[in-house]
Structure formats: C-alpha cells, structure tokens
Amino acid sequence: MSFLKKLFGGSGQAAATDAEPKVTETRDHAGFTIKATPMPEGGQFRLAALIEKEVGGEVKTHRMIRADMFSSKDEATRFALKKAEQVIDQQGESMFSD
C-alpha cells in the first residue's frame, strides 16, 4: 500500500503548491518588504516574490509570479528583487486594493 501512496501522493501532506514559498533573499524598499521566492519548474526557476507592507496594523501581502524563467536560482532571485522594486515604485499600496 505504501508504494501506491508514494505513487499517487496519498501521504496526507499538503501538495507542494500549497506549501509556503521558499524565501531566498529579503530586502526592504520604500517601506515594503520584498521576499524573493523563485519557483523551480522544469529544471529552471520562475521569477516570483512576496511583497509585504503593514497597512492599518495589518500585514498585507501581494504574491508576484511572472512568466520569466531563469537557469539559476540566484539569477531568478536577483531579478525578482528588481522587478518587485519596480512594481512597488509603479503601484505602491494600490497593489493591495481589492
């Protein structure tokens, strides 16, 4: 039975997509916190980051995932931080609007 559980994912644990993203680097920018979270995909890394800011006593989070792919985690991290800074400069707190 354990073979079938491994084969079909019956371990009872959350799927990898539900797991908390793995932060590779954190940076502050203009009052926001950027957490680079490159996503492994097909032998490459997709550009992704969390952008956070405390607004009205509550920490708001925006998850940024881009189509850009990189061959190394370090490169994806570096570009995620730059892109997140650009998003912050362009959108500011409005990225948290519903």
Side-chain angles (χ1 to χ4, degrees):
M1 183 69 144
S2 65
F3 169 74
L4 293 175
K5 283 185 179 181
K6 287 180 184 177
L7 184 62
F8 295 107
S11 66
Q13 297 177 352
T17 55
D18 296 337
E20 195 65 26
K22 217 172 219 185
V23 177
T24 56
E25 191 172 333
T26 301
R27 176 182 297 170
D28 291 328
H29 178 74
F32 292 78
T33 300
I34 303 167
K35 297 177 180 178
T37 58
M39 301 167 58
E41 188 175 314
Q44 295 185 309
F45 293 89
R46 182 173 300 282
L47 187 152
L50 299 173
I51 302 172
E52 299 178 340
K53 183 171 186 176
E54 187 173 323
V55 179
E58 180 183 350
V59 176
K60 301 279 188 171
T61 302
H62 174 78
R63 188 170 191 174
M64 180 186 77
I65 301 174
R66 307 277 303 171
D68 308 278
M69 300 291 282
F70 298 90
S71 59
S72 76
K73 186 187 293 188
D74 290 341
E75 190 177 25
T77 295
R78 186 166 43 96
F79 280 95
L81 294 169
K82 288 180 90 165
K83 185 62 180 177
E85 288 177 353
Q86 183 181 21
V87 168
I88 289 166
D89 292 343
Q90 290 175 350
Q91 297 181 21
E93 288 183 19
S94 70
M95 78 177 82
F96 302 123
S97 301
D98 291 336

